[in-house]
Amino acid sequence: MIVRDFNELKKTDRHVADARWTSTRMLLASDEMGFSFHITVLEAGSEHQFHYKNHFESVYCMKGKGSITDIATGETHDIKPGVMYALNLHDKHILRAEEELHMACVFNPPVTGAEVHREDGSYAPAEEAAA
Ligand code: 9YT
């Protein structure tokens, strides 16, 4: 069994920061669960374009307020506590945080922890990230 405390992980290298967001990786590829599990906090007023071409991602809003736009369809959905979105089509999207957003995110295949967002908003496939 794996038991971890978010507040303890925040002090380790499982806590990463990038452009106006932070993420604490509760589970990574090395945990061999077949998915990774992240707690991501996006700064109030920030806007992010992501495109996880090599991963499926599901995101659940625990706290805050914002919106997500599906770039392919132009549709925008409100994000608030209780709302989940799943990028089942590797959907390219823009996430906006009106208030600080606290999200629980799952990635399949799991993120290794070494990824950085590429120019196109994606993370490299797991085999490249591990190389
Ligand atoms: C909200 C969202 O898309 N989070 C993605 C995870 C975060 N960029 C991370 O942990 O790398």
Side-chain angles (χ1 to χ4, degrees):
M1 187 184 295
I2 300 170
V3 178
R4 293 190 175 128
D5 180 339
F6 170 77
N7 292 306
E8 292 301 320
L9 290 189
K10 272 175 74 175
K11 303 172 202 159
T12 73
D13 62 1
R14 282 177 176 257
H15 181 76
V16 299
D18 201 341
R20 307 193 73 188
W21 58 265
T22 63
S23 191
T24 306
R25 277 69 180 269
M26 308 301 294
L27 292 169
L28 284 169
S30 56
D31 294 308
E32 300 188 334
M33 293 287 291
F35 57 87
S36 57
F37 179 44
H38 317 195
I39 303 298
T40 301
V41 177
L42 304 120
E43 225 177 87
S46 66
E47 188 171 301
H48 310 264
Q49 183 167 307
F50 296 132
H51 190 193
Y52 296 117
K53 295 177 183 178
N54 304 303
H55 299 82
F56 291 110
E57 187 197 15
S58 174
V59 179
Y60 177 76
C61 179
M62 300 183 289
K63 188 174 165 197
K65 187 177 168 206
S67 63
I68 184 168
T69 299
D70 178 338
I71 291 175
T73 65
E75 270 183 295
T76 295
H77 308 270
D78 287 341
I79 300 291
K80 59 183 181 181
V83 173
M84 184 275 313
Y85 62 86
L87 304 170
N88 60 319
L89 301 176
H90 302 287
D91 313 79
K92 186 175 182 178
H93 60 285
I94 296 172
L95 185 60
R96 290 178 210 85
E98 282 172 49
E99 295 171 7
E100 186 176 78
L101 281 174
H102 293 236
M103 314 292 252
C105 318
V106 173
F107 277 74
N108 168 27
V111 160
T112 65
E115 294 84 355
V116 284
H117 281 110
R118 301 192 287 192
E119 192 71 15
D120 63 1
S122 73
Y123 280 151
E127 56 276 15
E128 264 180 56

